[in-house]
Amino acid sequence: MSVAPRPHWLFGDQLGPHFLDPRHGGPDAQAPVVMVEARSVLRRRRFHRAKAHLVLSAMRHRAAELGDRVTYVKAETYAEGLEQALGRAGRGRRMTVCHPTSRAALDFVRALGGDGNANGNGNASARGDVGVDVLPARGFLVSHDDFAGWAGRGGGRSLRLEGFYRWVRERHGLLMDGGEPAGGRWNLDHDNREPPPRGRDTLDVEGPWQPHEDAVDDEVRRDLDRWERAGDIAFVGRDGPRRFPATRREALSALRRFVTHRLPDFGRYEDAMLAADPVMSHSLLSAPLNLGLLDPAECVERAEHAYRAGDAPLNSVEGFVRQIAGWREYVWHLYWHFGEDYRHRNVLRHTAPLPEWFLELDADAVTANCLSTVLAQVRDTGWTHHIPRLMVLGSRALQDGWDPAAVTDWFHRCFVDGYDWVMLPNVVGMSQYADGGLMTTKPYTSGGAYLHRMSDLCGACAYRPTDRTGEHACPYTAGYWSFLHRHRTRLAANPRTARAVHGLDRLTDLPALLDEAASRANTPP
């Protein structure tokens, strides 16, 4: 007697075909699919409207693709939606779900019933006889068990990206020539730090792939308008037109366009910024990757194929592979490895609230051209590349001593590719140094000189990157020295920041700098 397949629950960031592949511990073959659009998710946080639009559009497009196989429920909460869906699919049957991407979602799934393992040995709960078996995570190159094995080999003492990245490359044979890295070097960062070309407003590359909105997008926008008018849900930022893939087909088109037309120029200007060209040669693939529309393996394999075929230089391909197979995997696993207490790390004891102009994405309230430009990009698109995130937005928060938990929440809400697993390590560890060095060896912040070298944002600014005090003092230059002074004892003991701290002794204008910084504390920079 054949056993009917268990229904499989798809979260809104598990939308690619690999989440329904029954092989290698996947869901049952031809399992009926359950999807729940829970309004409570949008009530919990004030998300960027473009992000809400993208996620709902992607979910509804996926449901349309699955047709009669899916039960798609719009409900107030996940619990109510599952009750409705399983009432139609057959109450009392266990269901499966791939390991969720947030700790809160995993806790919710496990609380529904059973022991939460993939073997299905738990007992169904009393909550509507729902029982859920959690299958292994998908959408990543490295399993939880394999990461634990790698981390355990060092006794938990060294969890640096470089060692992890090399291990992933070797384990998966990425950009390897036998037992050696392609080109003889593991890390080509030195080749990928060029400033933008002077005298140019944009890079001379073809633009990124652009979607065409359809009836599903129109429906989503009408729903968002209705919820806002009713005062039911509030958003931040602007919505439209949609800039990121919402379907598997769109995501593959975006990947092909990047690899064919944009990857060759990606590497050398990877860390550069141009006011009129916020995308530069970046892939814009983080959003479809984090929705599950693309699998990281296919992204890095296509990039490597371009290198082997002579269509892209090694520095560009290595830089892209490092982002996907290195940093993205690293952040995912550190999210689970460090545990829930990591969320509350705050070794610098920064407690200042986020200012209103930052919360509202009010770029017009800001005088500093770099910050105003980047904040406007977030307001209008819900996206910037990694250097504006780290060295403009994150650096401002770090220098001004904003509460790292609030900063993490802001990045989670305001970026289309922001999820709890993405932003918690990126912000707490990398951007705000709130973990005291568990993840990185130093705080990432700088004065205006770095921004001037790596962008064209300083030329049109009312401030001067070389000025520490006075009417034209750059808030990043003044903020950098103020930050070093505030944390002098801690940073003097760090070999990577000790030299900079000693530079404080050469600043004859330090008292004036600190006084001016204090007087500007509550005003937009």
Side-chain angles (χ1 to χ4, degrees), residues 94-112:
R94 297 191 67 82
M95 65 189 308
T96 60
V97 65
C98 290
H99 192 293
T101 60
S102 75
R103 191 168 284 104
L106 181 62
D107 289 345
F108 172 77
V109 165
R110 286 176 168 166
L112 285 175

Side-chain angles (χ1 to χ4, degrees), residues 341-381:
D341 287 346
Y342 190 79
R343 186 181 307 278
H344 308 293
R345 290 270 184 168
N346 190 1
V347 299
L348 300 181
R349 299 182 181 179
H350 285 178
T351 58
L354 273 59
E356 192 70 13
W357 56 265
F358 196 79
L359 289 168
E360 296 298 326
L361 308 181
D362 187 1
D364 297 331
V366 178
T367 300
N369 190 49
C370 62
L371 182 56
S372 178
T373 299
V374 172
L375 202 60
Q377 292 167 4
V378 179
R379 177 196 65 201
D380 296 341
T381 69

